[in-house]
Amino acid sequence: MKEYIKSIGNDEVKRLNEGINECIGIVRTLSEGINLKVYTSQQVCEMLGINVKLLRQYRYNGMLSYSRFGDKYWYTQKDIDEFMENNKRPAFC
């Protein structure tokens, strides 16, 4: 492995660096285009007016979609919108 690293020239490193920077630019452009909003558990609790225990129940019962990264849970606006649509309460007359 060390021999491989030593054999890489500055031109290859420069080309790889340019490729990485191009990929970063593409990802930034795509994320701006979709206007993706992501919320923490605390933010969702505040938005829905619920406590963390109830939010956990919604997650575990499959009522609210989420993404998990490490020990943190993340919710997109789409997750919240779908939850609200699927759990509407009828209006009283």
Side-chain angles (χ1 to χ4, degrees):
M1 181 70 166
K2 289 181 182 179
E3 293 79 26
Y4 174 75
I5 293 172
K6 288 179 183 177
S7 69
I8 295 177
N10 287 336
D11 292 335
E12 287 92 3
V13 172
K14 185 177 180 180
R15 189 176 47 83
L16 289 171
N17 195 25
E18 289 171 354
I20 291 170
N21 288 332
E22 182 180 343
C23 289
I24 290 170
I26 291 170
V27 169
R28 284 184 180 151
T29 302
L30 290 173
S31 64
E32 290 171 1
I34 28 181
N35 197 17
L36 181 65
K37 295 181 183 177
V38 180
Y39 302 99
T40 64
S41 293
Q42 185 63 38
Q43 290 172 319
V44 173
C45 286
E46 291 172 7
M47 286 170 47
L48 299 178
I50 60 175
N51 63 32
V52 177
K53 281 186 170 184
L54 186 55
L55 180 65
R56 189 179 313 129
Q57 286 180 352
Y58 289 158
R59 265 196 329 257
Y60 293 152
N61 292 334
M63 296 172 67
L64 178 60
S65 299
Y66 63 92
S67 297
R68 184 175 174 189
F69 186 75
D71 62 345
K72 302 287 183 194
Y73 294 92
W74 302 96
Y75 309 86
T76 63
Q77 186 65 51
K78 181 181 175 188
D79 296 334
I80 296 166
D81 292 342
E82 287 175 356
F83 171 78
M84 296 298 288
E85 184 66 31
N86 294 333
N87 296 288
K88 283 185 179 177
R89 291 186 180 178
F92 292 102
C93 297

